[in-house]
Structure formats: structure tokens, C-alpha cells
Amino acid sequence: MKRNIVIAVVTAAALVGGGTATALAVAGDDDDSTSVTRTDDDRDDRGEERSDDRDGDDDGAVRAAAPGDVTAAEAITAALKHTPGTAVSAELDDGSWEVDVLAEGDTWHTVRIARDSGKVLGAQKDDEDDAAEVRAALKGASVTAEDAAKAAAAKGTVVSVDLDDDGGDKGWEAETRASGGDARDWNVDLKTASVTPDRDDD
């Protein structure tokens, strides 16, 4: 008898709430009964929460594309402190800096630096075979990747620095972002650190 009353109450509550309900009543005797109720509204709420979480992740991906507090020069310094060698490139990618370092023995390492704190997030050895070309391009150079990043910072927020070791115009290439988000490419001389617009940049 009491079990029938519980079911009736659950059904009435579902109709008043505007949703659907599933009621399960289990009774060992007339005195003990247990009811479990699940409404579609609860399921919808959980779905909305998961959707909101996914939206938050998307926002994080958008924020990752914006320059952070740690500059390119600072990221290079942190990477070289962790992995001594010659920094050849630094790029802001997915919320962290990725710095390529050519270490002793011609071994390559990619060191990830947190954009917001400058801490080392990890490092891995890479299989690159252009160590000889890089060392030849940097022979006699007095401007490091860190120097190039500092020089290019006068033009905007530096989001990448990379060594161009192809052709006769060897030098550092830097990409900057203005406050409005416009990207510009620059060339930084290996000996004088002078910054000039990239001729291929429209």
C-alpha cells in the first residue's frame, strides 16, 4: 500500500515539474520501501555542464594564441639554462614556448616553457640532421636568438624567432604581433642586430 503511494507521489512530482520521471520502487514488505527517481531535467543539466566545460577549453585555445607575460627572449634564456647549447628557434604554440636548442654533439632538443611563469614544462630530444648547416650559418655571428628577439621586440610582441640558414641572406627571422593582432615579419642581421621588414611580408 505504501509502495503505491510513493509511486503516485513521484509521478505527480514529475508532472508538476514539467519533466519526465522514471520511478523504481523496491519493497521487502509494506513497512520498508525505497524509491529512486531520475528526471530528464537532471540529465539535461549535466549535459549543459559538460558543454560549458568544452566551451571553456575552446576559450583556452583562443587565449593560447595571444602573447603572454614571458617574452621570447626570456623563454630562450630559461630553455638554455635547462638545456645548454645554441638556441635556434622559439615559437609560441598552444600556450607555451617551444625552443629548439642545438646542444653539444649535434643533438637537438625541444624545450617547452610555460608562457605565464617561465617554468620548464618538459624537454625532448629531436631527430634533426641539419646541425652542420646551422653551425655554418652561425659561424662568425655575434647576434644570438635571444638578441634577435630583444631587437625585434621594438616592433611589437615577438611570437617567434627562427634562424634562416638558406641562401645568401642568412639571418634571424622574427614574427611580431601588434596590439591589434596584426602580424609582421622581420629580418634581424646576424652581426648588427638591425631589424628590417621582411621583403616577402605583404
Side-chain angles (χ1 to χ4, degrees), residues 23-43:
L24 173 64
V26 179
D29 53 35
D30 289 343
D31 294 333
D32 297 326
S33 64
T34 304
S35 65
V36 179
T37 304
R38 185 186 74 226
T39 66
D40 287 346
D41 291 341
D42 293 338
R43 188 167 58 249

Side-chain angles (χ1 to χ4, degrees), residues 16-165:
V16 171
T20 60
T22 303
L24 173 64
V26 179
D29 53 35
D30 289 343
D31 294 333
D32 297 326
S33 64
T34 304
S35 65
V36 179
T37 304
R38 185 186 74 226
T39 66
D40 287 346
D41 291 341
D42 293 338
R43 188 167 58 249
D44 291 343
D45 290 342
R46 289 194 299 272
E48 289 175 1
E49 290 174 1
R50 286 194 297 268
S51 176
D52 291 343
D53 292 341
R54 286 194 298 269
D55 291 343
D57 291 342
D58 290 343
D59 291 342
V62 172
R63 287 194 300 273
D69 295 333
V70 176
T71 67
E74 292 168 343
I76 292 170
T77 299
L80 292 177
K81 184 176 180 180
H82 180 272
T83 305
T86 302
V88 178
S89 70
E91 181 179 6
L92 187 61
D93 182 45
D94 290 337
S96 62
W97 286 99
E98 291 190 356
V99 182
D100 289 334
V101 177
L102 176 58
E104 293 182 5
D106 293 344
T107 58
W108 287 93
H109 301 268
T110 297
V111 184
R112 291 178 55 242
I113 305 295
R115 180 189 69 173
D116 56 351
S117 66
K119 293 182 179 179
V120 176
L121 300 176
Q124 66 180 28
K125 186 180 293 186
D126 293 330
D127 296 328
E128 298 286 347
D129 58 0
D130 58 348
E133 291 85 346
V134 168
R135 294 196 187 283
L138 291 175
K139 186 176 181 180
S142 56
V143 177
T144 65
E146 182 180 3
D147 296 332
K150 290 178 179 179
K155 303 297 184 179
T157 301
V158 179
V159 294
S160 72
V161 177
D162 189 27
L163 177 65
D164 180 9
D165 58 358

